[in-house]
Amino acid sequence: MKIEIIQDKHLDMLQEFCNTCKDLGYENNSSFCAMKLLWCKTQGEYWCAIKDNKIIAVAGCHPLTEVSSNAWRIMFRGCELPGNDTFRGLGKGDWNSITQREFIPLMIKHIPSDELYITTNTTHEHSNGKAARNHKLMGLLAKQGILDNYGDCVLYYTEQTLWRLNIEEYTKRRERIVGHYVDKLETLRTSKTESW
């Protein structure tokens, strides 16, 4: 598995990923439009995990000026296809999630701020029960000190819970994973000349 910034070369694989998400009922990742791919890339960034020449996970980040001038939203439209990650690591934390385990360190490195937030949808189920499970998981991570619950708010006409990432605690726990799970970590930065 490798992690890369989504670029033009990935678009055919990304379309296949979106088609699979649509079949699975994952509304927010069922198309480039639903992913808000272009919108996110114009102000932030989007990553993908690739295994056997297929995209198996995606997540983006973008400024979250609705919260503060330094705030960024991470794990935006984070999604992974079931049955693709065979990682068996530490039991506490969400280390069996490609997006949590592999994308967050890249986002921490990429974003010029330490004010990073994850949002969970509190009223609209858009992924066959996964949104509700994800919201519950964030509460468990908050109990471990990895996240802080900053309360509920309305973002983009949707009720969300805002969770601030405790970068120090996340990084300390992430470093306990021996070695590197990703075989080849490619952190290509998208050129400003690319056609997005």
Side-chain angles (χ1 to χ4, degrees):
M1 182 173 63
K2 57 186 176 180
I3 312 297
E4 296 181 350
I5 286 175
I6 295 175
Q7 301 177 67
D8 287 342
K9 68 179 183 177
H10 299 110
L11 295 183
D12 288 341
M13 285 190 290
L14 187 60
Q15 183 60 61
E16 185 179 345
F17 174 84
C18 288
N19 293 344
T20 302
C21 286
K22 186 174 183 179
D23 291 343
L24 291 169
Y26 300 171
E27 294 172 23
N28 283 349
N29 299 89
S30 61
S31 68
F32 294 0
C33 183
M35 285 177 63
K36 298 187 178 181
L37 179 65
L38 297 179
W39 175 85
C40 185
K41 285 196 65 80
T42 59
Q43 55 188 325
E45 198 50 270
Y46 238 118
W47 284 264
C48 63
I50 301 170
K51 179 181 174 185
D52 299 327
N53 295 314
K54 292 182 183 292
I55 291 178
I56 59 171
V58 300
C61 66
H62 64 81
L64 193 60
T65 55
E66 296 84 355
V67 173
S68 85
S69 59
N70 294 319
W72 279 69
R73 185 184 195 184
I74 63 172
M75 306 301 285
F76 175 68
R77 294 297 201 254
C79 178
E80 54 194 81
L81 301 179
N84 283 285
D85 190 14
T86 57
F87 176 80
R88 296 292 175 259
L90 300 175
K92 283 197 169 184
D94 193 20
W95 308 120
N96 291 322
S97 164
I98 296 167
T99 53
Q100 289 274 351
R101 187 184 68 240
E102 305 299 345
F103 290 13
I104 288 179
L106 299 177
M107 293 178 185
I108 292 169
K109 185 176 180 181
H110 177 82
I111 295 168
S113 173
D114 63 358
E115 194 177 338
L116 309 182
Y117 295 90
I118 296 171
T119 62
T120 53
N121 194 312
T122 59
T123 58
H124 176 65
E125 179 53 62
H126 52 77
S127 57
N128 274 340
K130 289 198 171 212
R133 287 193 299 274
N134 189 48
H135 180 74
K136 184 176 180 181
L137 174 63
M138 296 304 112
L140 297 174
L141 294 178
K143 288 181 180 178
Q144 297 177 49
I146 296 171
L147 299 174
D148 294 311
N149 186 331
Y150 267 61
D152 295 339
C153 63
V154 176
L155 286 174
Y156 310 110
Y157 311 105
T158 304
E159 291 183 27
Q160 309 266 346
T161 299
L162 198 60
W163 310 89
R164 184 167 178 177
L165 179 68
N166 181 332
I167 294 174
E168 183 179 350
E169 186 64 25
Y170 171 87
T171 302
K172 181 176 75 173
R173 289 172 182 260
R174 175 63 177 83
E175 287 175 352
R176 291 180 188 167
I177 300 174
V178 179
H180 294 282
Y181 181 66
V182 174
D183 296 327
K184 184 179 180 186
L185 191 61
E186 295 184 24
T187 56
L188 302 172
R189 296 219 175 243
T190 304
S191 167
K192 298 296 182 190
T193 59
E194 279 203 57
S195 58
W196 286 101

